[in-house]
Amino acid sequence: MAKDHRAGSKVRGDKLPAILMASHLLEGDTVFLGDSGWTMDPTAAKIAHDAETAAVMEAEGKAAAAANTVIDPYLVPVDLTDHGLPVARHFRDAMRQKGPSIHPDMGKQAEFTPLD
Amino acid sequence: MYRYDEFDERFVRERVAQFRGQVERRLDGSLSEDEFKPLRLKNGLYLQLHAYMLRIAVPYGTLNSRQLRMLAHIAETYDKGYGHFTTRQNLQFNWPKLKDVPDILGLLADVEMHCIQTSGNCIRNVTSDQFAGVAKDEVEDPRPTAELIRQWSSLHPEFVWLPRKFKIAVTGAEHDRAAIKVHDIGLKLKRNDQGEVGYEVIVGGGLGRTPMIGKVVREFLPKDELLAYLEAVMRVYNSEGRRDNKFKARVKILVHETGEEEFRARVEEEYAKLDGPTINAPEEEVERIAAYFAAPTYEDLPETSQVLEQARAIDPELDRFVAQNSFEHKQPGYIALTIALKEIGAVPGDMSADQMRAFADIAEKYSFDEFRVTHSQNLVLPHVRKDDLPAVHAALKAAGLASANAGLITDIIACPGLDYCALATAKSIPIAQAIAKTFADQERQKAIGELPIKISGCINACGHHHVGAIGILGLEKGGRENYQITVGGDATEHASLGERLGPGIDAEDVPAAIEAIVETYLAEKTGEESFIETVRRTGAEPFKAGFAAFIESRTAQHEAAE
């Protein structure tokens, strides 16, 4: 079976800070690991500033995938805005944080406070 | 139109029940994602960047008003109020929830539709000429053949786990509108010297990362031998096609690596071993299927419609629409009408639920309750009385469906690209929108004439960029989106692959680059030559030179700005 996904972030070099992104099994929506469980809100994503935290978050993602809550969790390297909000460094991950560029009325950008 | 018999009905209903059970087991954890994924893909359900995506089969692109109204209902109830027509004449919903999909499949079954074999390594939805049964240059209607193949290939036990996906297209006309030379198998209905009807069989065409033009493996296959011969081709592919490397698993690679003659010999050898009569469809079954595609009851009408002529004389908009979007019908007094889902600035192939309902009414009232989806992401009303055209145009206009640009530079094919697709490396739709806006002026479009632009957002080529007169391929380069441009691609009977003009460029430079290419064409063209005819005559060289000059001036501008 062909893969229908390009899983993982494509960012080269420094991988921190980072957030953890996945797809919600039931809804299909992109979700982020927050301080207390998974959230649809990109501004509520928990940020790993060091490798240890990132590793813990990644393990939490794998456990959630094994528990059939999410699919394909992966760490996403981000830059922080002046307000400390995480913006994905790669344009593909940034598209998942916002929603389709051709439909500003759909996806996260329509439902949550913008990241930048 | 074909109607399900009791076997079709039962088969589709059973499949819905099976998938409902599979979803339940996925949600309660009895199936892991790795176990579930092949099952959902077999039912057309993908997971993309923002949500699941459901791909619905539209066999050979034929639909009726009842089906379209159901699609509108699903779009509003379970999605975000729109659907997207694809380059395989299918329809995709971009936002369904996993828990709703079994119910959606149930509703589709109510109108004789399903998502089976729209994904996975099986024989996919068979595509055909959107003017099937209408075109004057047609030997025979290709739809009964397409339907026969659909029935034969649906869950064919031998071919449900092929090395890779497998796509078949059928045309019955001299002019190829079904792109049969770039399919795994392309079939062309033709007559031999004795006047008998049969097929030219082309194998091993395809796009993707290794584009190839198909090879003729049989000049003439008697019509009643079709299924046994297809089975022979599939058996050779199934046993010898590569399974070690998915990028080399399509039949085009097998034909290429084996060599055309050797491949042909192997197919004939396999064919000789098969017991044809047990495989080929019995004559009465072929006739039963063909009866569903009998021509509608046309009225006896004069070729010219006074009503239409008078209306065109006083309404320039109607005049332009008819001149650009109509296709000559074999029945006097009728035409086939292309509805370009390509309003300037719109998403190619998108249709809102309201538009679906309005269009369903139009098809029901004015086109014998039938319409077609084209591989160019447009729709066709196949049988419109010329007398009715002014009314049809008014109704289309009211629904925002009267874009008079069929076949022109703004009638662009674009894959969903990075806006939705998990495989994409770059955006595709915004590039189409930017080009369409650049060339929005109708007089300018008309002066440029027929010019198919095709855009893919990754190397898999769902946007058919290799066979675009101008092809655009979006890739990632150095962490940015980058676009390569080709000219000279052609998906018709003159099939050819485009040639790259030079280095890739940034998204914002694409519209100006297309303008530079068009300028080269206008300078080089002689007489009434279309863009592709000019490229065929001159080769890519003048276009490369024009493109190089464009890059140079653009670089100078960038440097001056810094």
Side-chain angles (χ1 to χ4, degrees), chain B residues 264-515:
Chain B
R264 190 178 294 124
R266 288 189 200 181
V267 169
E268 292 296 337
E269 192 187 333
E270 188 65 41
Y271 186 53
K273 281 192 239 162
L274 285 173
D275 182 5
T278 65
I279 298 165
N280 288 315
E283 185 56 33
E284 58 271 23
E285 178 61 11
V286 173
E287 281 170 12
R288 185 187 75 87
I289 291 172
Y292 286 108
F293 300 97
T297 319
Y298 298 119
E299 283 173 52
D300 236 347
L301 296 169
E303 182 61 50
T304 308
S305 156
Q306 293 304 323
V307 177
L308 178 60
E309 293 309 308
Q310 285 165 13
R312 285 180 75 167
I314 54 167
D315 183 351
E317 212 177 323
L318 170 71
D319 184 54
R320 193 162 47 229
F321 180 74
V322 174
Q324 195 57 47
N325 290 32
S326 60
F327 178 83
E328 214 178 340
H329 202 291
K330 64 182 180 191
Q331 179 69 23
Y334 286 80
I335 64 145
L337 199 58
T338 298
I339 285 66
L341 298 175
K342 308 290 169 66
E343 286 278 334
I344 303 298
V347 175
D350 271 14
M351 194 178 206
S352 71
D354 287 342
Q355 288 177 321
M356 289 181 196
R357 288 203 183 89
F359 191 68
D361 291 346
I362 295 168
E364 188 174 27
K365 188 167 176 192
Y366 296 110
S367 188
F368 296 95
D369 197 21
E370 187 198 330
F371 69 97
R372 316 274 173 81
V373 184
T374 84
H375 83 267
S376 304
Q377 304 176 288
N378 292 327
L379 303 179
V380 163
L381 289 169
H383 324 279
V384 181
R385 280 172 14 137
K386 287 180 180 173
D387 290 348
D388 289 335
L389 261 177
V392 170
H393 178 253
L396 288 169
K397 201 172 142 185
L401 292 168
S403 196
N405 57 349
L408 296 176
I409 191 169
T410 55
D411 182 4
I412 299 169
I413 290 184
C415 75
L418 195 70
D419 278 290
Y420 295 103
C421 178
L423 293 171
T425 43
K427 290 191 285 291
S428 177
I429 293 165
I431 303 294
Q433 292 171 320
I435 295 170
K437 282 177 189 158
T438 302
F439 291 95
D441 183 78
Q442 285 185 328
E443 289 310 312
R444 189 179 184 198
Q445 288 186 53
K446 206 173 150 193
I448 296 165
E450 188 183 344
L451 207 176
I453 297 184
K454 307 185 192 229
I455 310 174
S456 305
C458 85
I459 201 163
N460 293 311
C462 293
H464 300 181
H465 64 276
H466 299 295
V467 288
I470 297 177
I472 302 173
L473 167 63
L475 295 170
E476 176 180 350
K477 193 177 166 194
R480 285 169 65 83
E481 291 161 286
N482 187 267
Y483 295 85
Q484 294 181 354
I485 300 183
T486 54
V487 299
D490 187 342
T492 71
E493 64 275 21
H494 309 292
S496 61
L497 302 171
E499 195 173 331
R500 217 173 118 185
L501 290 182
I505 56 177
D506 288 341
E508 56 269 27
D509 289 337
V510 173
I514 302 302
E515 285 191 296

Side-chain angles (χ1 to χ4, degrees), chain B residues 136-147:
Chain B
K136 279 186 170 172
D137 64 341
E138 192 171 86
V139 168
E140 201 174 273
D141 189 333
R143 289 172 300 164
T145 297
E147 174 57 28

Side-chain angles (χ1 to χ4, degrees), chain B residues 188-238:
Chain B
K188 180 186 169 185
L189 281 148
K190 65 191 283 196
R191 270 183 214 285
N192 66 6
D193 295 340
Q194 287 76 49
E196 297 154 336
V197 175
Y199 301 97
E200 180 178 280
V201 184
I202 297 167
V203 182
L207 301 173
R209 68 182 59 217
T210 319
M212 299 217 183
I213 304 292
K215 312 291 185 293
V216 178
V217 297
R218 250 304 178 105
E219 291 282 353
F220 186 83
L221 177 75
K223 201 180 161 199
D224 56 2
E225 295 181 36
L226 178 67
L227 294 186
Y229 192 82
L230 288 182
E231 201 137 319
V233 175
M234 297 309 297
R235 281 194 170 183
V236 170
Y237 170 56
N238 206 17

Side-chain angles (χ1 to χ4, degrees), chain B residues 506-533:
Chain B
D506 288 341
E508 56 269 27
D509 289 337
V510 173
I514 302 302
E515 285 191 296
I517 294 165
V518 167
E519 287 311 314
T520 304
Y521 156 60
L522 295 174
E524 294 284 335
K525 83 179 259 194
T526 59
E528 294 302 302
E529 263 180 353
S530 68
F531 181 91
I532 188 66
E533 286 166 344

Side-chain angles (χ1 to χ4, degrees), chain A:
Chain A
M1 181 59 56
K3 282 180 89 70
D4 67 342
H5 244 260
R6 287 201 311 149
S9 182
K10 306 294 161 197
V11 172
R12 293 195 187 137
D14 199 6
K15 303 282 196 273
L16 291 170
I19 59 170
L20 193 75
M21 197 188 271
S23 297
H24 192 264
L25 170 68
L26 199 55
E27 306 289 324
D29 289 76
T30 300
V31 287
F32 311 92
L33 185 64
D35 285 327
S36 50
W38 297 90
T39 172
M40 307 258 278
D41 182 353
T43 64
K46 181 177 175 178
I47 301 163
H49 295 276
D50 55 74
E52 291 71 29
T53 312
V56 170
M57 284 168 63
E58 199 169 20
E60 207 172 322
K62 279 184 183 153
N68 303 310
T69 308
V70 301
I71 305 167
D72 291 340
Y74 64 94
L75 286 168
V76 174
V78 293
D79 290 321
L80 301 183
T81 66
D82 295 344
H83 304 288
L85 293 173
V87 177
R89 262 182 242 160
H90 193 276
F91 57 87
R92 180 177 187 271
D93 301 325
M95 183 75 83
R96 297 191 70 189
Q97 281 183 309
K98 288 171 109 171
S101 73
I102 52 170
H103 279 298
D105 54 330
M106 292 176 196
K108 316 274 177 229
Q109 57 200 342
E111 293 165 36
F112 301 101
T113 317
L115 287 164
D116 45 4

Side-chain angles (χ1 to χ4, degrees), chain B residues 72 134 153 191 261 340 355 374 385 390 416 502 541 543-544 547:
Chain B
V134 168
S153 66
R191 270 183 214 285
E261 274 184 37
Q355 288 177 321
T374 84
R385 280 172 14 137
E541 288 316 314
F543 294 88
K544 284 182 184 171
F547 187 73

